[in-house]
Amino acid sequence: MAKSILVIGEIKGGGLRKTTLEGLTAARAIASVTQGDILAALVGSGIDAAAATLAKHGASAVLQVDDPAYEKYSSEAYTEAVVRLAREREAGVVILGDTSLGKDLAPAIAVRLDAALATDVVQIEAQADGFLKVVHPIYTGKLNAEYVLQKKAVQVVTLRPNLFAAAAEDGKTARIDKLAWKPTKPARAVVREAVATSTGQVELTEAAIIVSGGRSLKSAENFALLDELAQVLGGAVGASRAAVDAGYQPHSRQVGQTGKVVNPSLYIACGISGAIQHLVGMRTSKVIVAINKDANAPIFQSADYGVVGDLFEVVPVLTQEFKQLLGK
Ligand SMILES: Cc1cc2nc3c(=O)[nH]c(=O)nc-3n(C[C@H](O)[C@H](O)[C@H](O)COP(=O)(O)OP(=O)(O)OC[C@H]3O[C@@H](n4cnc5c(N)ncnc54)[C@H](O)[C@@H]3O)c2cc1C
């Protein structure tokens, strides 16, 4: 029998993270070649609602590991649970999002399962023999490297968020297996408190639209211009490192090499020069619009559309136009 494809879901604020459903899309593509059973797993505490939602998106079963001991993320406890899931359910492929949790968990489970590991995967394809062919950007995104994972019984991958479509509901409800597991050992490191740094806006790595600003905004207050445009478009606000270093925005909004890697459908860069360290965080955006008063700014080389002009004049006009167009 073909080995199963195990998608490790993530919960944020009680709901499923979009990366979970993106993982299911990748799982379906793999299953169409390997005929493997798609299993979706959630580890947490009090997660009935999230498991019920997950059951509607194409997995044949949802594995719910639910215990107060898993309320806060613990590398050791989650690793143990996922490794046990992968072993007991005979997973050939384990899929996670390339999120903070996925980045932490994937290597830990891969080493225990003696698995092949590919992180930050932007393309994935199952070959006829079941081994995965994946694309992973290297040299800060200047090159895409293609790898074939092989000679291992288990393959673990983390998928870059926002590149794969989220799996839609399939009109069925999968069986939910509730597993009354507990960590077998006390954790050596414990998360005492998780403090949210973002201000209620859509998580940057999951936003479909991002309006980003640079040093040229000149103050934290002036970012209100971008907040308004982002709000009209239903997007999130990002920033260059220069804007973050100047204290205009929190680091959680920084896009780039030392910030977040984002893949929105639309990225509007306002007064951002386009340094390589910024580009590496946003150049896979589907459509890039640059507003810059310097016609020679490097950002224009990466932009699909460019406006040469003063952002303090251009952005309010864009906001007004979108308000009218969208009836807001
Ligand atoms: C190791 C390392 C890691 C780094 N990591 C990151 C990272 O993660 N993210 C990141 O962004 N950077 C990063 N940087 C910094 C990066 O090299 C740049 O310094 C930074 O991106 C510049 O930010 P900026 O475009 O806002 O500012 P600037 O380079 O100062 O550019 C400002 C731009 O705004 C334009 N402008 C000015 N006024 C207006 C106006 N009124 N209207 C329209 N346009 C205007 C100017 O023409 C200019 O192009 C890193 C650097 C290093 C060395």
Side-chain angles (χ1 to χ4, degrees):
M1 205 183 78
K3 289 192 156 188
S4 65
I5 303 155
L6 179 62
V7 178
I8 308 301
E10 259 186 75
I11 299 174
K12 198 167 185 187
L16 280 183
R17 280 195 73 167
K18 204 166 130 231
T19 48
T20 308
L21 303 182
E22 293 168 4
L24 279 170
T25 299
R28 282 190 201 177
I30 295 167
S32 69
V33 178
T34 65
Q35 313 306 324
D37 206 15
I38 300 175
L39 305 173
L42 282 178
V43 183
S45 173
I47 53 173
D48 282 345
T53 307
L54 186 53
K56 295 184 183 143
H57 291 267
S60 64
V62 171
L63 314 175
Q64 182 181 343
V65 182
D66 199 337
D67 189 89
Y70 300 110
E71 187 191 344
K72 292 204 179 88
Y73 176 71
S74 148
S75 210
E76 292 159 82
Y78 276 52
T79 298
E80 185 188 55
V82 173
V83 166
R84 185 169 168 193
L85 284 169
R87 288 202 176 118
E88 290 190 5
R89 305 294 169 136
E90 294 184 13
V93 177
V94 182
I95 299 176
L96 303 100
D98 198 64
T99 57
S100 305
L101 181 143
K103 283 179 192 176
D104 189 57
L105 206 49
I109 60 172
V111 83
R112 282 161 184 80
L113 294 169
D114 188 27
L117 170 68
T119 57
D120 194 20
V121 165
V122 297
Q123 275 177 42
I124 191 163
E125 184 192 322
Q127 304 184 109
D129 57 11
F131 291 119
L132 299 175
K133 193 198 270 185
V134 301
V135 173
H136 160 79
I138 56 171
Y139 299 127
T140 57
K142 288 199 192 78
L143 284 179
N144 273 340
E146 193 177 272
Y147 299 93
V148 176
L149 307 184
Q150 51 190 330
K151 299 198 177 85
K152 294 284 183 187
V154 185
Q155 306 169 79
V156 177
V157 291
T158 66
L159 305 182
R160 185 178 284 195
N162 248 356
L163 273 188
F164 299 83
E169 293 192 13
D170 69 345
K172 297 181 205 143
T173 304
R175 168 187 104 232
I176 298 179
D177 293 353
K178 291 196 178 184
L179 304 164
W181 294 356
K182 283 182 192 298
T184 57
K185 292 177 231 147
R188 286 171 296 174
V190 178
V191 176
R192 293 208 181 279
E193 195 185 3
V195 182
T197 50
S198 74
T199 47
Q201 72 166 11
V202 190
E203 159 66 29
L204 215 49
T205 54
E206 291 182 5
I209 297 176
I210 295 176
V211 182
S212 245
R215 193 196 316 264
S216 52
L217 264 293
K218 294 195 184 117
S219 71
E221 292 70 38
N222 285 341
F223 263 82
L225 272 181
L226 308 194
D227 284 335
E228 201 185 348
L229 177 55
Q231 204 176 7
V232 171
L233 295 173
V237 170
S240 72
R241 173 161 161 182
V244 170
D245 285 351
Y248 306 160
Q249 288 292 304
H251 182 258
S252 59
R253 293 192 178 177
Q254 183 179 316
V255 172
Q257 188 180 325
T258 42
K260 291 189 171 152
V261 175
V262 297
N263 295 291
S265 305
L266 174 62
Y267 189 89
I268 307 179
C270 307
I272 291 179
S273 57
I276 181 67
Q277 296 90 353
H278 188 79
L279 296 179
V280 80
M282 42 63 79
R283 67 168 145 210
T284 52
S285 305
K286 283 153 205 100
V287 175
I288 298 172
V289 177
I291 303 165
N292 198 302
K293 64 181 186 187
D294 174 7
N296 295 317
I299 189 78
F300 286 124
Q301 286 167 25
S302 303
D304 300 285
Y305 299 96
V307 181
V308 179
D310 186 334
L311 73 93
F312 292 100
E313 290 166 17
V314 177
V315 173
V317 173
L318 273 181
T319 306
Q320 276 317 314
E321 289 293 320
F322 278 121
K323 269 188 185 165
Q324 277 191 358
L325 267 172
L326 302 169
K328 288 190 173 173

